[in-house]
Amino acid sequence: MGGAPRVVVKTGQGLPDLDWEGELADLTDVFPYLGPTWLGASEKALTDLQPWHTVATRARGELALLPGYVMTTPPVVDHEPRTYLGWQAPTGEEVCCGAQTDACISGEVDALGTEPFFPALLLGSPLGYRTEVAYNFWTPSLMAQLVSELVPAAFEQGIKCIVAPWISGRSGNDALVTALEQAGGHSTFWGYEDYLRLDAGSWDGHLAALPLKKRQRIKSDVRRAEAAGVRVERVDGEAIRPYVTRIAELTCLNREKNGAGEEPAHIIDVLTALLDARADVRAYLGTKDGALVATCVVIRKHHRLFPKWAGFDYAAIGERSGIYFALVLDAPVRDAYAEGLRTVEFGAGAHQAKVLRGCTPRPVTTAMVVSDPQLRPQVAKWMDAFGASRRVAFGDAPAATRTPLPIVSGGSGACCSDG
């Protein structure tokens, strides 16, 4: 008998049994943050999150994974569903790449307490800041099948809120947003992530193809970095291991400066797991007067490069030394061109600074489904207000209403992805 193979969807699952080599072979085009190597390390680091993955299989070796984690109590703000409604944590912490919030809305959300939202299900990679399906087969209804199974199953398990914070505007992901909306959810603008297509053939060709102002900006970055007296070198694989703790310290210094709450132990656990798995990991190290003062960790997967963690000792190098650009933007792109790669995926953070140096943005969407139908209209209004504030932060609002916010800072780095 003919016909398409049947897709089987199961919810509440553990991770597929794939090592890094298996990911390269079976999840070739998937971001590394969505594979079992990264997620398995995250689960060891984030012990307060309970794995609850949705897995679809079809035929032999065909796999689709939508990661999910149950949160029984309020977590850090980046994983807290109420922050995507405009709620401000009492501690003052902000969701990654934070925007100004409306105190009235925050008070309204706070007045509801935690009961309407917890237990909550976070969809995606908590330390990878991506809500996306990792798959090696496709059908037009795949996203809808995954969501139509997971939403009722989660609510039957007592989940009050399903939040998908970081849905990238990559091809096919609009179907995930649509499926969550059709399941009773709502979506709003979260921000942008940035990437660079390596179309110029070489680093010199890349510079030559840029508009004059962008080219001059990059050359100025290089001059400022050299003037700062920081020596940059690259180390790969096992050679990174002696620097893991310092990399984590510097990264978290940078993230704390930008309002994010990731802990050094999280980075140590995930980076160590990647090294143990023999993933293609590189680290750019900046030293000054014998001290390690700047780092950027990059993962290569096939024809793409993924700068992930960057950290800086600003007390040693100053606020505007140019080292951020030398380590995070210039060095990885130079090497990617030298290796014949196709794309550098920079992720979110320091969006305008990246665009000014030649990157292309993708929008990122947040979607949420609450189990209480009567609460859904109010949640939609709060999300719309949150999305509007994010557009102001990213410079998308009309000029008359724009407000200068940390998100547009050119040299301070990012908080949820690469710097």
Side-chain angles (χ1 to χ4, degrees):
M1 296 179 63
R6 177 170 172 259
V7 177
V8 177
V9 178
K10 295 182 179 180
T11 60
Q13 300 298 296
L15 290 171
D17 185 15
L18 282 177
D19 59 13
W20 182 256
E21 290 300 321
E23 289 188 42
L24 292 177
D26 294 339
L27 296 174
T28 304
D29 296 322
V30 172
F31 273 61
Y33 320 128
L34 296 160
T37 301
W38 179 284
L39 293 173
S42 298
E43 291 172 10
K44 292 178 181 178
L46 301 172
T47 55
D48 55 333
L49 305 187
Q50 303 170 15
W52 201 90
H53 308 307
T54 301
V55 179
T57 55
R58 187 185 74 168
R60 181 177 296 179
E62 293 186 320
L63 169 71
L65 165 68
L66 178 52
Y69 294 91
V70 175
M71 305 175 290
T72 57
T73 57
V76 297
V77 292
D78 284 333
H79 306 157
E80 158 72 77
R82 291 177 295 170
T83 56
Y84 298 92
L85 304 178
W87 175 76
Q88 177 70 58
T91 59
E93 291 179 286
E94 296 178 344
V95 69
C96 180
C97 307
Q100 291 180 341
T101 56
D102 186 314
C104 292
I105 290 178
S106 180
E108 292 173 359
V109 177
D110 196 58
L112 291 178
T114 58
E115 195 277 334
F117 304 103
F118 291 92
L121 176 64
L122 171 71
L123 299 182
S125 173
L127 297 180
Y129 293 89
R130 299 197 74 79
T131 304
E132 203 163 316
V133 177
Y135 60 89
N136 61 13
F137 77 96
W138 172 258
T139 72
S141 62
L142 177 61
M143 302 298 180
Q145 284 183 273
L146 290 166
V147 172
S148 66
E149 293 283 348
L150 82 85
V151 170
F155 290 160
E156 287 173 9
Q157 292 291 318
I159 297 297
K160 299 294 184 63
C161 172
I162 299 171
V163 57
W166 316 288
I167 305 175
S168 166
R170 298 177 69 217
S171 176
N173 284 349
D174 55 338
L176 179 58
V177 176
T178 298
L180 290 165
E181 291 175 342
Q182 291 176 343
H186 192 71
S187 66
T188 194
F189 173 81
W190 180 86
Y192 292 106
E193 64 177 16
D194 298 286
Y195 67 99
L196 185 67
R197 290 195 184 95
L198 305 179
D199 297 329
S202 69
W203 170 254
D204 289 339
H206 168 70
L207 289 180
L210 290 174
L212 177 60
K213 286 187 177 180
K214 292 184 178 181
R215 186 164 66 249
Q216 290 176 334
R217 194 179 299 270
I218 291 173
K219 291 180 177 180
S220 173
D221 295 336
V222 172
R223 288 194 299 269
R224 286 191 294 126
E226 291 173 347
V230 177
R231 183 174 65 88
V232 176
E233 65 173 329
R234 171 182 146 185
V235 296
D236 296 354
E238 281 299 311
I240 298 172
R241 209 176 285 270
Y243 305 102
V244 167
T245 299
R246 182 59 173 163
I247 286 170
E249 291 172 352
L250 288 174
T251 302
C252 288
L253 275 177
N254 198 58
R255 295 190 177 203
E256 182 180 337
K257 180 176 181 291
N258 287 280
E262 193 164 355
E263 299 175 7
H266 299 160
I267 296 170
I268 290 170
D269 286 348
V270 175
L271 180 51
T272 299
L274 290 170
L275 296 175
D276 290 344
R278 300 185 182 279
D280 189 345
V281 184
R282 300 99 179 269
Y284 295 92
L285 308 178
T287 56
K288 182 176 183 179
D289 300 328
L292 184 57
V293 297
T295 60
C296 177
V297 175
V298 176
I299 305 165
R300 176 182 172 177
K301 189 174 181 187
H302 290 293
H303 298 291
R304 292 187 292 171
L305 209 58
F306 302 84
K308 176 53 186 172
W309 293 299
F312 309 90
D313 182 350
Y314 286 108
I317 63 176
E319 290 284 340
R320 304 196 64 81
S321 66
I323 298 301
Y324 171 79
F325 303 104
L327 259 69
V328 177
L329 296 180
D330 297 346
V333 173
R334 284 176 183 268
D335 286 352
Y337 267 117
E339 295 176 41
L341 306 188
R342 296 174 184 167
T343 310
V344 181
E345 295 281 355
F346 285 107
H351 162 63
Q352 290 191 5
K354 291 171 181 173
V355 170
L356 288 172
R357 287 156 180 85
C359 292
T360 301
R362 292 191 196 98
V364 179
T365 297
T366 293
M368 186 182 297
V369 191
V370 294
S371 63
D372 182 355
Q374 294 184 341
L375 186 58
R376 289 174 181 175
Q378 187 61 61
V379 163
K381 292 179 181 178
W382 287 332
M383 290 185 71
D384 286 342
F386 174 78
S389 72
R390 298 287 289 184
R391 288 200 176 277
V392 171
F394 278 88
D396 286 354
T401 62
R402 287 183 184 172
T403 304
L405 293 170
I407 185 67
V408 302
S409 173
S412 63
C415 45
C416 64
S417 184
D418 57 58

